Every structure is written in structure tokens, then in C-alpha cells.
Amino acid sequence: MANLLSMKCLSSLKKSGNIKHLRSAAVSIDKRNYSSKHGEYLHQSVVPSMHYQKSLPRLPIPKLEDTIKRYLAAQRPLLDDEQFKTTEKLAQDFQHGVGKQMHEELVAQDKNNKHTSYISGPWFDMYLSARDSVVLNFNPFMSFNPDPKTEYNDQLVRATNMVCSAVRFMKTLRAGILEPEVFHLNPAKSDTDGFKKLIRWVPSSLSWYGAYMVNAYPLDMSQYFRLFNSSRIPKQGRDELFTDDKGRHLLVMRNGNMYVFDIVNRDGNLVSPAEIQSHLKYILSDPTPAAAFPLGVLTSENRDVWAGLRDKLVSAGNAEDLRVVDSALFCLSLDDESMKDHIQISHNMLHGDGCNRWYDKSFSIILTKDGQAAINFEHSWGDGVAVLRFQNEIFKDTTEKPLVHPGSAPAAVDSASAVRRLQFKLDSELEDGVKKAKESFDSAVSKLTIDAMEFKKGGKEQLKKSKLSPDAIAQLAFQMGFLRQYGQTVATYESCSTAAFKHGRTETIRPATVHTKQCAHAFVCQPGQHSVEQLRGMLSECSKYHGQLTKEAAMGQGFDRHLFAMRYLANSKGQALHSLYADPAYTAINHNILSTSTLTSPAVNLGGFAPVVPDGFGVGYGVHDDWIGCNVSSYPARNVHEFLQCVHKSLEDIFSVVEGKALS
């Protein structure tokens, strides 16, 4: 199941014809209609937030023969002829035998559950039943770009503005006036006041069709309610998700100490920004020493171990304070360190020291001493789409309409009585549990290496001019880089959002193909044996095929989720699994050595996650107009520095060929 664990941010979708790259409306944030009523809302959408939810199309279950065909196509570059023959025979036996019955059962079950998607339940279950630590294995991070006005990057000023903007986002969402998430293929027609005024009068049960008529695709927003007041609660065997939208307080962490204060008043309005600033200033100057037994580190434990310790915490009389933590709007971690470079930022935002985090909160905003900010989020409740939309809105609001300024004086209020430091009762067993959790945490993160690379000799614009898909070329560079370094083609995972469907989650794009394998071999192993035209033709072939795979995945027509759902169904009914699932080739394709995820957004500087297998790479990347960036992690089994050198060399070779130059 390794391929199921990586960061699931919205990947670019692709379509043939004039549309090369479709980006989620999560990234199109520059056209929001702001009308702030007393600063309480980000904007007031003409179309209600959930207007399209009822009429979203359902996630299709692919035809079984299509799934098998796609599965075998993805296996072909990973296997030799003998292995492929075995896998092909197993797959065909599955298709005409047990698989046919499993598929029919899945379709029947799906027909009886029209309110959701066939993947939603199994996917929640997969995440919540996993017993590994959420740190490194699940929680990704996305760091904010600095505020363009440098004086606003002060830790206190930025923290206050982010908290205020987060409350404004929450209020806008709950009032139903947050702009719906819509992916516009023809914004000139659909992203207009005229269309919005018209579509708001179309009943919710039909509204999706109205948007579809003008080439706009509303996206599922069912995950949004779990952004706030939510936590993952450890339980033996399977965790639970908890949400209490009555909570009005913020959880703040500093030096491993935990503090709470209200950021929403009894009337449901934002507490005055100057008061919030005063409370945060009080916490930043609190002389209390670093927590001797920082409870947050328990959230980094194996889930069953943490569940047992949590039961002990409750028995020791801490139930009320745990409830306060779980129901907080979100967690704000204020770190006392300054960051020296991108690498330190990645380590700090992905895992930190384990003490100043509550990894189970749906999301945490982390702010370092020098005002570097990021979001670290728990992954079971949702994918990158809702978090990215939140991050984009927060960045836009804090940079364009900050509520406190470098010269703002904090309110003269009694922060000492408004802010409460949580003090947990711990016995020696719990203290020992904290100590052990910290040791496990330190051991795990000490094995992680992160490195970054920027390729400055070209990007999206040049590739598009050459009629090449930017995402396909980035993925090809990873294939070439790995081949150059290790001489192999290995299982590769690229996440793609299926948010265009009701309760869609993600589908897998399989970027290692027969085309990338042939092309990588030509570039890496036989550089002098092909003309520039031939190499150019191979690039074009890779691009076309990757575009097709991406379009299929975005439309719910991959093979990974379908095979996963059938296996889940068989397991849940206690049925024996077909030997396709025991095939070493099936195990290998799900042992994703290259786990990749892309995003570009005006708000996001870096995104990152750990490898999903011990001998893998975690590859976060973005293709920008005139450069390409990668942020890559590995464990000791792989050399990340060398991998990035090989990827850089691959991009140099690819761009040489794009420019019509022969390979040296």
C-alpha cells in the first residue's frame, strides 16, 4: 500500500486540443470579489459555497477490461519478458474469473450508495487504520512565500494576521459565501459576474450542468468542513476523526508548552486583531521554561501506542484539556529558531523537533522566529485541494489586507487571564511514554535527508511553445535521472485529484511508461546514436502519452483505485484474494520508489513530504514559467544529492534537444 501514502496535492490535468494544462481553481485566486463587512469575511460570493455540491457527477468505476489493460501497460516497463508473461496471465485470469464477480459486487454496492463515491469509505479506512506514525509517513507541508512587504514578516505581526485571516476564511465558509471551487476551462465565459448571477438561480440539483454548459467544472467541497475544530483521535486498530464546530479558541504551541485563548467571541465574531496580537505577544514573551515532558511528541508515535497513552492521559484526569486541544479551531506553532535556508525550512515544517507540534490537528500553521510560515496537515480527512485553497486565501488576505501592521500597538488587555497554559497531569508511566516517543521521533527523523534543486535554463513557457507538456517533461527527467543514477526503471507514483466528482479523492498517474523508458535509454545510454529529430520525436511521444494518462486519471479512469477498492471489498467480506494481488509484480508496482506530487501557486514557496518506502524518494516539484524546482527527500538507502544532479543533467539534455542541439 506504499503508493497510497504520498502527498495528494492537486495535480495539473490535461486535455487534448488547445487546452494543455488545467489548474484547479484553488490556484486561481486573483479574481475573488472582496467585500469585507467589518472585516469579518474574506468576500461575499454571489453563488453559495455549496451550490454545486448536490449535482456533482459521481466518480465512475472504470470498466474492468480497461483497468486490466491500463494495469498491464503500467507493468510493462517494470518487468522483463518472462515476468510480464506471468503477470499478464494472472491479470487475464482475474479479469475473466474472480475479478468479474468482484467488479460486479463493487458496482452494485456503488449503486446503493449514490450519496458518495466508491473510493471515499475505503480511502478514509486506509488512512485511519494505518498504524504508522503520521509524521513522515502521512503529514506533508506547504510553506508560504514571504510577504512581499518584508516588514510584515515579523513573527508576531505575521502570526496575528494569519490567525485573523484564518478566522475570516472560516466565517466566510460557514456563512456559505466563500466562492465555490470551480475549475474554469473558459474563464472569459464562466468566471464572470453575469454567469454567477445567472447560475445562482439554477436549482442546486441542476447547477453543475449549467456550469458544464460553459466549460466550467465545479469541484467537490465535502472535505472543507473538517478544516477547522478538527483532530484525528488515536484509537486501537483504527483512529477516528473528531470535529466540534462550537470551539472558539486557538491552540498555540511554544517551547513544547500549550496555550489556548478565544479568537472568536460569543457573538461568533473575530476577537479584535489588537487583542489577538496582545495574547500572542504574551505567549512569545512567556518565561516558562521549555516543557520537560512535551505532550505533542506523543502525536508522532505509532497510533496504537499513542492510543494506549491517550487512554492513560484520560484516566489521569486530562480528558477536559485533551478535548480543548481537539476542538481548537487549529494549531499555531510558534518556533524560537530562525531558518538559514530552504533545507532547514523543509525539515522544520515537515517534522521539526517533535515537541512544538500537535500533528493530529487537521492543520497547523507554523511560524519561525524570522517569520517563515508553513502549513503542516494531517492527511486522513482530506487531500491538498482544501488546504491549498485555504493557503491561497490566507496569503492573499494577509498580504493585501493585513489587519495589524509593524507599528500596531497590541491592545491593553489582561492577556494573563485571557490566555490559559494547559497543564497536564502526568504520572511516571506517561512521562516515560513521552521520553520513548521523543527517542523514536529523533531516530526516525535523523535518517531523513532533504535536498533541493532549481533548474534555471527553461520552464513552462519554452516547453509549451514546443508543444510539450511541462508536467510530462518533469516526470521524464525523474525517469532519466533515476536511470542515470541506478540503471533501472522503477515504480513511480504521481498524485492526481479527482475532485471534479462527488467525494472524489485522488487517482494515480503512472509516469514510468514504455515511452519514457525508451526515451530515457536513448538519452542516457545511447546519447550519440539518435538524431536530434528522433530524440525530439521521443519527447513528443512521452508528452502525448503522459497527457493521456493524466486526463484519464483526472476523469477517474486510472487503474489503482479500482484494483484497491475490489481488494478492500473482498477483504471486508472475508473472501480469499485472487493471486493477482499476491503477484510480486503487484507488490512491486505498489512499492513506489519515486513518489511525486506537484503544485505551483502564488502563495506556496515549497512543498514536501518524506519517501513512502525506505528505499524511495519523496519528490515535490513545480514547473514555473522559466524554471523548474524540485524538493526531494530520501532515507539512507538512496543518495538524494546525486539524484538531483542526475535530474539536473537530464533537464539540460532535454532542453538542448528542444532547442535543436545535439547531445554532447
Side-chain angles (χ1 to χ4, degrees):
M1 285 207 297
N3 75 312
L4 311 176
L5 313 184
S6 70
M7 181 182 181
K8 309 289 197 301
C9 284
L10 189 62
S11 272
S12 57
L13 317 179
K14 299 185 189 122
K15 198 173 180 183
S16 51
N18 298 327
I19 313 301
K20 289 288 189 229
H21 261 259
L22 317 184
R23 279 283 171 205
S24 150
V27 181
S28 322
I29 57 169
D30 41 355
K31 290 190 177 170
R32 301 288 182 220
N33 168 27
Y34 281 69
S35 78
S36 311
K37 181 194 165 199
H38 311 305
E40 293 291 327
Y41 301 107
L42 293 180
H43 52 248
Q44 189 149 4
S45 173
V46 174
V47 184
S49 306
M50 297 297 168
H51 189 54
Y52 299 108
Q53 197 64 29
K54 208 185 244 179
S55 57
L56 282 173
R58 301 196 62 231
L59 181 67
I61 298 176
K63 291 178 182 160
L64 184 59
E65 59 266 33
D66 289 346
T67 287
I68 297 301
K69 195 171 83 219
R70 289 170 181 140
Y71 171 65
L72 289 172
Q75 284 285 19
R76 184 63 277 212
L78 307 178
L79 304 173
D80 65 27
D81 291 350
E82 207 48 50
Q83 291 168 324
F84 184 72
K85 228 179 268 173
T86 306
T87 294
E88 189 175 38
K89 190 178 174 311
L90 284 171
Q92 282 163 355
D93 181 63
F94 177 77
Q95 182 185 333
H96 300 298
V98 178
K100 198 165 181 266
Q101 184 196 335
M102 285 167 77
H103 172 76
E104 281 163 10
E105 282 181 31
L106 185 66
V107 168
Q109 187 188 64
D110 186 54
K111 276 200 174 116
N112 291 332
N113 290 280
K114 290 194 169 153
H115 63 287
T116 186
S117 71
Y118 79 91
I119 198 63
S120 184
W123 211 241
F124 274 119
D125 210 39
M126 179 270 296
Y127 272 123
L128 293 170
S129 303
R131 301 290 82 195
D132 291 329
S133 165
V134 296
V135 183
L136 303 188
N137 297 304
F138 296 94
N139 287 28
F141 83 90
M142 297 189 285
S143 71
F144 284 91
N145 274 317
D147 192 309
K149 302 187 292 296
T150 52
E151 66 277 20
Y152 281 82
N153 291 310
D154 170 82
Q155 186 180 26
L156 176 61
V157 172
R158 200 170 197 200
T160 308
N161 280 321
M162 284 194 169
V163 169
C164 294
S165 292
V167 172
R168 282 148 57 86
F169 180 98
M170 180 269 291
K171 289 204 62 184
T172 311
L173 172 67
R174 289 184 180 167
I177 55 174
L178 185 74
E179 284 264 359
E181 195 67 34
V182 179
F183 176 60
H184 300 278
L185 276 184
N186 185 355
K189 251 188 175 176
S190 56
D191 200 9
T192 63
D193 288 344
F195 174 73
K196 288 171 187 174
K197 281 174 183 156
L198 178 69
I199 198 75
R200 69 181 290 192
W201 297 111
V202 176
S204 288
S205 53
L206 298 171
S207 54
W208 181 87
Y209 301 94
Y212 177 73
M213 300 294 282
V214 291
N215 235 351
Y217 292 84
L219 302 182
D220 179 75
M221 292 178 75
S222 63
Q223 297 171 6
Y224 278 57
F225 83 99
R226 289 227 190 259
L227 262 171
F228 298 100
N229 301 107
S230 297
S231 266
R232 175 173 174 157
I233 310 290
K235 299 277 180 186
Q236 295 293 338
R238 184 185 188 273
D239 293 353
E240 287 170 8
L241 292 174
F242 167 87
T243 302
D244 175 9
D245 59 14
K246 292 180 183 59
R248 297 186 283 115
H249 57 284
L250 174 70
L251 170 67
V252 183
M253 299 190 70
R254 178 169 170 260
N255 279 330
N257 293 307
M258 301 166 76
Y259 306 82
V260 291
F261 64 85
D262 285 353
I263 50 175
V264 173
N265 65 22
R266 284 201 175 83
D267 300 328
N269 295 324
L270 174 69
V271 166
S272 92
E275 265 183 64
I276 292 172
Q277 186 182 7
S278 170
H279 300 338
L280 291 175
K281 187 178 179 187
Y282 171 81
I283 292 169
L284 282 168
S285 52
D286 181 16
T288 303
F293 297 98
L295 219 58
V297 77
L298 294 180
T299 64
S300 74
E301 256 293 9
N302 166 285
R303 302 307 293 176
D304 283 336
V305 173
W306 171 207
L309 289 166
R310 188 182 164 106
D311 288 344
K312 292 192 170 80
L313 275 168
V314 170
S315 306
N318 298 293
E320 192 41 54
D321 279 353
L322 284 170
R323 169 96 192 192
V324 167
V325 170
D326 298 333
S327 60
L329 273 152
F330 61 94
C331 175
L332 172 68
S333 290
L334 298 172
D335 290 350
D336 275 0
E337 296 79 35
S338 293
M339 301 289 105
K340 61 178 189 293
D341 56 25
H342 281 336
I343 309 302
Q344 191 185 2
I345 290 171
S346 291
H347 278 289
N348 192 61
M349 304 314 189
L350 183 62
H351 56 78
D353 68 357
C355 301
N356 209 41
R357 304 281 181 272
W358 196 268
Y359 299 104
D360 288 355
K361 284 304 283 179
S362 53
F363 75 90
S364 298
I365 294 179
I366 302 163
L367 260 155
T368 62
K369 200 170 187 64
D370 53 345
Q372 295 285 349
I375 289 177
N376 178 297
F377 67 98
E378 198 282 309
H379 219 324
S380 63
W381 65 272
D383 306 303
V385 187
V387 181
L388 184 58
R389 170 71 186 275
F390 171 73
Q391 187 155 4
N392 285 335
E393 295 283 9
I394 296 311
F395 184 73
K396 184 173 175 65
D397 198 49
T398 56
T399 54
E400 292 182 8
K401 305 215 165 165
L403 294 180
V404 303
H405 310 278
S408 303
V413 289
D414 181 10
S415 290
S417 57
V419 176
R420 176 161 80 93
R421 182 162 64 86
L422 301 180
Q423 290 177 291
F424 292 88
K425 304 172 189 79
L426 306 181
D427 58 22
S428 57
E429 198 179 355
L430 284 164
E431 287 179 352
D432 198 43
V434 171
K435 252 196 315 229
K436 281 195 181 123
K438 177 69 170 133
E439 284 162 16
S440 305
F441 174 89
D442 287 344
S443 166
V445 303
S446 70
K447 296 181 179 79
L448 187 78
T449 304
I450 300 177
D451 201 4
M453 182 274 288
E454 289 183 359
F455 176 79
K456 293 292 180 95
K457 297 177 187 173
K460 200 189 296 177
E461 283 179 0
Q462 193 178 344
L463 293 170
K464 282 183 166 177
K465 272 187 201 138
S466 305
K467 297 191 164 44
L468 293 169
S469 146
D471 191 60
I473 295 304
Q475 287 289 345
L476 175 62
F478 304 145
Q479 294 300 315
M480 275 186 201
F482 197 90
L483 181 70
R484 186 181 295 277
Q485 187 179 10
Y486 295 106
Q488 284 176 294
T489 297
V490 291
T492 307
Y493 179 110
E494 179 182 0
S495 53
C496 178
S497 172
T498 49
F501 300 96
K502 182 179 288 183
H503 294 189
R505 295 288 307 236
T506 58
E507 183 52 271
T508 309
I509 301 165
R510 292 293 185 169
T513 67
V514 289
H515 304 288
T516 63
K517 189 175 186 177
Q518 184 197 10
C519 186
H521 270 269
F523 272 74
V524 175
C525 310
Q526 313 152 334
Q529 295 174 30
H530 302 270
S531 68
V532 172
E533 285 69 35
Q534 286 171 320
L535 293 171
R536 187 74 184 68
M538 288 182 202
L539 291 179
S540 184
E541 204 50 52
C542 289
S543 174
K544 234 187 323 203
Y545 190 65
H546 187 79
Q548 181 195 323
L549 290 180
T550 307
K551 189 183 166 192
E552 285 171 359
M555 292 294 114
Q557 295 294 328
F559 67 83
D560 280 87
R561 299 301 175 269
H562 188 193
L563 288 178
F564 172 81
M566 287 189 286
R567 186 180 68 177
Y568 179 87
L569 187 63
N571 280 334
S572 69
K573 293 188 165 185
Q575 295 166 355
L577 285 178
H578 184 270
S579 42
L580 171 138
Y581 291 107
D583 181 9
Y586 180 80
T587 307
I589 203 171
N590 287 301
H591 182 90
N592 287 294
I593 288 171
L594 286 169
S595 179
T596 73
S597 189
T598 183
L599 75 141
T600 50
S601 147
V604 177
N605 183 2
L606 280 172
F609 50 96
V612 298
V613 292
D615 57 340
F617 288 116
V619 183
Y621 67 101
V623 184
H624 305 268
D625 287 344
D626 53 5
W627 64 285
I628 297 169
C630 301
N631 198 33
V632 184
S633 62
S634 77
Y635 293 119
R638 300 283 176 195
N639 183 330
V640 68
H641 311 292
E642 200 177 275
F643 175 66
L644 283 173
Q645 287 169 351
C646 292
V647 170
H648 197 278
K649 165 74 173 138
S650 302
L651 287 167
E652 283 180 346
D653 288 352
I654 291 166
F655 275 84
S656 288
V657 168
V658 168
E659 289 158 12
K661 297 178 200 150
L663 290 181
S664 50

